[in-house]
Amino acid sequence: MDYVIEMLNIRKMFGTFVANDNITLQVKKGEIHALLGENGAGKSTLMNVLFGLYQPDGGEIRVKGKSVKITDPNVANDLGIGMVHQHFMLVDKFTVTENIILGSEPTKNGTINVKEAAEEIKKISENYGLQVDPYAKISDISVGMQQRVEILKTLYRGADILIFDEPTASLTPQEITELIQIMKRLIQEGKSIILITHKLKEIMEVADRVTVIRRGKGIKTLNVEDTNPEELASLMVGRNVVFSVDKTEAKPTDEALIIENLVVKDNRGIERVKRLNLEVKRGEILGIAGIDGNGQTELIEAITGLRKVESGKITLNGIDITNRPPRYITEKGVGHIPQDRHKHGLILNYSIGLNMVLQTYYKEPYSKVGILNYKNIYAKARDIIDKYDVRTQSEFELARALSGGNQQKGIIGREIERDPDLLIAAQPTRGLDVGAIEFIHKRLIEQRDNGKAVLLISLELDEVMDVSDRIAVIFDGQIIDILDPKKTDENELGLLMAGQQLEKNEETPLIDQTGEAGE
Amino acid sequence: MSNRMTNIVVPVLAVILGLIVGAIIMAISGYNPVVGYQALWEGILGDSYNIGESVRTITPYLLAGLAVAFAFRTGLFNIGVEGQLIVGWFAAVWIGVVFDLPMIVHLPLALLAAAIAGAIWAFVPGVLKAYLGVNEVVVTIMMNYVALHVTNALIKNMSDGSDSTERIHESASLKSSFFEQITDISRMHNGIFIALLAVFVIWFILQKTTLGYELKAVGFNRHASEYAGMNVKKNIVVSMVISGALAGLAGAMEGLGTFGYVAVKSGFTGIGFDGIAVSVLGANSPLGVVFGATLFGSLKYGAGNMPSAAGIPEELVSVIIAIIIFFVASGYIFKLLLEKFSKKKEVK
Ligand SMILES: Nc1ncnc2c1ncn2[C@@H]1O[C@H](COP(=O)(O)OP(=O)(O)OP(=O)(O)O)[C@@H](O)[C@H]1O
Ligand SMILES: [Mg+2]
């Protein structure tokens, strides 16, 4: 048989911990091969071995039938292997073009020929409909856009075996559809793809075969045609997973958060939130649905004190928190699961334990008169780790060493355990496996049932519709409509998110008249 | 190999390798490496006088290295340690000369003045960095020159045009008759206790306090620190101020210990800049700085014996010392090699 990639009995250890326990993965030429497994199962590790970032402790790798030793990513590049990482590896202060050519700069008379590269990048970008501006600065573009830059990077380097590590975690549904088109086009051109994703729907839609791994061990490789999401989920988790979210009717009381006429600008001074009005009540989960880049990020940053409010007012529990520093806002009862866990959520070079007291380290019992109490800190960390099933060797492990999903579970645990009056959850389940998503959704609903307010921002329409009690649609910096999730569907939401006003008729009454439509 | 083991093995291997390369260079240039290293060894530890003088050289390096390392942990590159040291030196001597107080007040006051002077000198670039985003490297370098020329003017002013101030009062001196006695009247002084105390205090701050937790957090990830509610700007200033105070104390070691006065300088002392090397040698950790300062200080002092005792020209001595330092500083290369090496063995 024609395999482009064969990873045979790959073993990888970190200290005494076995991250890959003799896993075998064989990828056929021209197929999309999905890799499925729980958070911390060892997927990224296995791919990092293939890409030359880690050296295996055992096993053999064959590329196009030839046994190879991939000692570093350059070797992988030469073998035609490209990787889009789970966490982007971009230089913030560089432009798109500079990032893409970094490490293989095209030179002309000894100077770097940025212009030519930019033109080529533009061409590739147009070819695949990526719509990337080659001259935009990374720090100025959205997470979704950054993801596309990573994809462009491998295409630019001419890879014919592409590894995608959770490429869709940060894309909007529309972008995912586009990406899937891109992948299909790549396959038509004879390329092969290894796709890591937690979204079973995507596997069913694009993949030809799927390999399931659990706790470092290869479980099974199946033809996608012969399986279904339920089987995959139970293979991967080792038990049955409930997909629908079980919850009782919300019992909202008074407003915890009131936002009035809020105006916020982005880094470039462009208004992103434009006289926005919104209320979140105690005892409800308000979901914000919208296409990435319509002001969600700026809105969250303004509420949490990370970004300046130009005008307007934010009130929490009757207290004006407009333009107050983050600590003040945190202490007044705001919890925040940030959308970019590496930028805001964690100090990667601190142990996961120290990260569990990131907002509370200065309080008793974690410190007293300025002296840290490590015993109490690590006891608390242990607590969160156990309760939220954060898979780590110990609480002393560097946060950097945890798998992406387990980092996320740690952050969520930290924020919920502080028991805030208002919990802002931005893409809380990004990168989590189906089992963990089920668990986190339960926790969010639990918060609500305890009379707390939850503000959920997600690009995942299913999530917004399943978990929210009300859905606010954001478009161009404003809330253009508020809907009842039971009385709407993806189509209606999709249209609204694209900025199309629905004609109001009696069949879709608004549950709430306050933060409503349009001008 | 465990982490702790590599941390000890790597620098030791690096020193040995540096010595070997240094020996080769001596041999090529026609000098006997054995004689050369013997002279170096004796220059450092040969007799009690040399031991005393080595410790005396190490003392300000401890504080200067600590100053660089501390700022670095908050992500700041304090090249201004030299200038902060110079103003600290002057401030300490000024208190020592102008006042006449009982020792229990006078000495602490002089030390405090040095720390405050250094702190003020670092406060300026700290504030500029935190609130206006001005690069601290540029500002601290400029502040070095300001320190040099301003103190020179002040010294002349204070001593009626003479090039050196009077000696400080005994009550402000760090001199130790005990050390003088056991080291054959070297200039070793009580400042070594202050330097070692500072190492402990800085280690304590970084490892055990909420302040250290914040400072390191800011150094690792500014965005996450802000998210966590830390005052990033304040932390930058605090870090610079503490770093500057340490540098000022390094100046006090010279002013109150080694010399007992301050003279007009035609150029920088170099101790502040060497502090960067010391910090690098010590991987920016307080305990590492003890290792770095000991190595750097003793090599620097002991090398002085090589021209006279082994006939090796001074220029060549500088090259040899630089090579040893270079090998230690690039210790991470060894670390990589070592890791690769031990990994290969594991596979087999
Ligand atoms: N550099 C490292 N040092 C120590 N342990 C590590 C390191 N990298 C990964 N691990 C551990 O290996 C295991 C597998 O991690 P990996 O990142 O491969 O998981 P994953 O399957 O990609 O999970 P996710 O879906 O959450 O991204 C985890 O338990 C993780 O803690
Ligand atoms: Mg992963």
Side-chain angles (χ1 to χ4, degrees), chain A residues 336 350 354 361 370 372 374, chain B residues 207-208 210 213-214 216 227:
Chain A
H336 176 197
Y350 272 177
L354 281 184
Y361 64 91
L372 295 169
Y374 281 106
Chain B
Q207 294 306 317
K208 301 286 176 193
T210 53
Y213 181 91
E214 286 194 14
K216 285 185 291 179
Y227 157 87

Side-chain angles (χ1 to χ4, degrees), chain A residues 14 17 19-20 37-46 54 86 165-166 196 198 213 391-393 397 400-406 431:
Chain A
F14 295 111
F17 177 79
N20 287 165
E38 280 182 293
N39 295 126
K43 305 176 298 291
S44 296
T45 304
L46 187 68
Y54 293 152
Q86 179 170 12
D165 195 350
E166 295 187 35
I196 300 179
H198 289 292
I213 60 179
R391 306 236 173 115
T392 170
Q393 279 164 267
E397 196 78 21
R400 183 180 293 291
L402 267 65
S403 83
N406 284 301

Side-chain angles (χ1 to χ4, degrees), chain B residues 126-190:
Chain B
V127 166
L128 289 174
K129 165 86 177 182
Y131 293 93
L132 298 173
V134 183
N135 191 319
E136 78 277 12
V137 173
V138 178
V139 181
T140 49
I141 289 176
M142 294 197 300
M143 293 286 286
N144 283 343
Y145 286 95
V146 178
L148 181 66
H149 297 297
V150 166
T151 51
N152 278 349
L154 287 174
I155 292 164
K156 281 193 179 148
N157 199 322
M158 196 178 147
S159 47
D160 304 318
S162 144
D163 272 355
S164 163
T165 64
E166 292 166 45
R167 293 197 71 85
I168 54 170
H169 291 285
E170 280 306 308
S171 54
S173 173
L174 282 169
K175 269 191 184 315
S176 151
S177 49
F178 172 70
F179 282 144
E180 279 182 3
Q181 220 168 22
I182 62 165
T183 62
D184 200 9
I185 328 209
S186 80
R187 288 173 295 170
M188 181 177 173
H189 54 82
N190 285 325

Side-chain angles (χ1 to χ4, degrees), chain A residues 284-408:
Chain A
E284 75 163 352
I285 298 176
L286 180 93
I288 293 190
I291 295 170
D292 198 17
N294 275 285
Q296 295 97 318
T297 308
E298 288 78 10
L299 171 64
I300 303 166
E301 289 182 346
I303 300 173
T304 51
L306 293 170
R307 188 175 285 279
K308 200 176 141 237
V309 172
E310 300 297 326
S311 64
K313 192 172 168 196
I314 307 170
T315 320
L316 177 77
N317 291 336
I319 304 166
D320 186 353
I321 57 164
T322 322
N323 277 332
R324 300 307 299 259
R327 172 144 306 161
Y328 179 88
I329 294 169
T330 306
E331 286 187 338
K332 287 288 170 280
V334 174
H336 176 197
I337 300 164
Q339 61 174 344
D340 188 339
R341 58 177 165 249
H342 282 185
K343 185 173 177 191
H344 287 121
L346 293 167
I347 310 275
L348 289 173
N349 287 334
Y350 272 177
S351 66
I352 184 67
L354 281 184
N355 271 291
M356 292 300 98
V357 293
L358 204 53
Q359 297 102 327
T360 46
Y361 64 91
Y362 59 94
K363 288 188 190 158
E364 283 193 51
Y366 310 119
S367 68
K368 207 170 175 178
V369 289
I371 312 283
L372 295 169
N373 185 328
Y374 281 106
K375 203 172 132 244
N376 291 344
I377 290 174
Y378 281 113
K380 178 73 192 175
R382 191 70 249 166
D383 211 42
I384 296 177
I385 287 168
D386 290 341
K387 205 161 155 192
Y388 289 81
D389 187 28
V390 180
R391 306 236 173 115
T392 170
Q393 279 164 267
S394 79
E395 56 272 39
F396 309 110
E397 196 78 21
L398 285 190
R400 183 180 293 291
L402 267 65
S403 83
N406 284 301
Q407 292 172 344
Q408 184 71 7

